Amino acid sequence: MNAAAGTITILVGAVLLRLTIGGTYERYVKASLGPWLVVAGIAVILLGAATLFRALRPGRVDGDDHEHERDHEHGIGVGWLLLAPIAALLLVAPPTLGSFGVGRAATVDVRAGAPVFQRLGRGSDPLPMSLLEFAQRAFDHDGTSFNGRAVQLTGFVAGAEAGGFRLARYTIACCAADAAPVVVRVVGTVGDRAPRDQWLTVTGKFRSGDSDLPELAATSVAEIRPPNDPYE
């Protein structure tokens, strides 16, 4: 069983390194954790190698160990079954969070205790902005801090709305397990609607109203590839 444990541990470390070096880890944790994941992956591989070396070392089994191994000989094969999900992760990485979880997860309440923002100064438009900041500014004194500036938001389509669609992006504190979606209603669009989960860059201006979601009156919508870091 120690041989199985050592092999599985090595593969867990290999999966961790593969996800980190390939950049896929950004689907699950903050990008700033990358260096620490590399260190953790190397440490796990070394631990697994030490366990495997000890298990395969000649002459290590004495009488007591032999009795223990004989009692559990039928359970040894079960341990190797754990290789199946690890091998799957080596071949195919799970996708990032998408529109399916937007209506099924706790959302970020940006109205409670939101700070008072300074009015945006004049500058080159559009101004790139996160969905979270846009929502906070929208609910802060009915969006007066926008000062008429055009902004540019990036997110994925979370569903259709009357006269537009919902644009969403997840914000995380540490990893995807604590992800919460921030949703903005985009209005004023024309033409064919992008499918759900399609990533977009939307340019427009804040529109005041009584909606439960902050609204952006779009002037342009462009389809883009999913960003390397999908979270805010």
Side-chain angles (χ1 to χ4, degrees), residues 98-120:
S99 62
F100 178 80
V102 169
R104 296 168 176 81
T107 56
V108 178
D109 186 350
V110 299
R111 285 170 283 188
V116 176
F117 287 90
Q118 297 291 327
R119 292 169 67 91
L120 294 174

Side-chain angles (χ1 to χ4, degrees), residues 57-77:
R57 186 175 57 189
R60 69 169 192 89
V61 179
D62 55 23
D64 292 337
D65 287 340
H66 179 72
E67 183 68 23
H68 177 77
E69 293 293 335
R70 187 180 63 183
D71 291 340
H72 294 277
E73 61 182 358
H74 296 295
I76 292 178

